[in-house]
Amino acid sequence: MRVRIRLEAITGKSTEIVALLNSGAESPEPSIALPTEIAEELKLNELKAETTYSEEATTYVEVKLYKKAIKGTLLDNGEELTSVILDVAVAEGLIEPLLSDSAIDAFNIEIISFSKGLWRIRGENKIRKNV
């Protein structure tokens, strides 16, 4: 399932993206995994990163981790819904941005149906659709 997010980096750069909701991406803090190209657009490479490793199915991948580097705002048809400060993980070869389980919770996203692409903001009745 995909949602639209506006990213505002502490570098002053911003962009809008479509990110996958990935409940299998577990993280202790709300985080987003970004492809290298988006991270470079946001000038995250100018910041100090922590090098760590992420378990991916059957292997480990080296990841650059930028703590609390981005404010993410969940959007739906131009409407700003919720905002969250996110850690950013950047890994070579990543194709699409991924929101972690704790980021999904922090944005108050409640999945109604993955297969139909339906979700809502926790506590609201309005059902929203996949981007």
Side-chain angles (χ1 to χ4, degrees):
M1 182 174 313
R2 292 173 170 84
V3 294
R4 184 167 305 284
I5 305 280
R6 181 173 50 253
L7 303 176
E8 298 172 67
I10 59 175
T11 60
K13 299 293 183 180
S14 65
T15 190
E16 279 189 22
I17 62 163
V18 173
L20 292 175
L21 302 182
N22 187 356
S23 63
E26 300 171 354
S27 66
E29 298 294 327
S31 63
I32 187 167
L34 291 179
T36 304
E37 299 78 24
I38 295 173
E40 288 172 352
E41 179 183 344
L42 294 169
K43 303 289 186 196
L44 295 181
N45 53 328
E46 296 176 1
L47 304 173
K48 183 176 171 138
E50 173 185 326
T51 300
T52 186
Y53 291 88
S54 174
E55 186 177 347
E56 303 293 329
T58 60
T59 189
Y60 287 94
V61 177
E62 185 176 290
V63 173
K64 290 182 179 165
L65 184 62
Y66 301 91
K67 297 281 194 169
K68 302 190 182 334
I70 285 183
K71 174 185 170 188
T73 302
L74 181 62
L75 305 170
D76 185 40
N77 293 318
E79 179 186 359
E80 294 184 2
L81 302 176
T82 55
S83 294
V84 176
I85 301 300
L86 299 166
D87 290 347
V88 180
V90 179
E92 291 291 327
L94 187 64
I95 297 169
E96 294 185 84
L98 305 172
L99 284 174
S100 71
D101 59 350
S102 57
I104 295 167
D105 286 346
F107 278 116
N108 290 319
I109 296 171
E110 188 174 81
I111 307 302
I112 305 300
S113 172
F114 268 110
S115 65
K116 294 177 183 173
L118 302 176
W119 60 279
R120 67 179 165 208
I121 296 295
R122 192 175 298 113
E124 288 186 359
N125 292 324
K126 181 178 181 177
I127 305 295
R128 299 169 191 275
K129 292 193 175 195
N130 189 29
V131 174

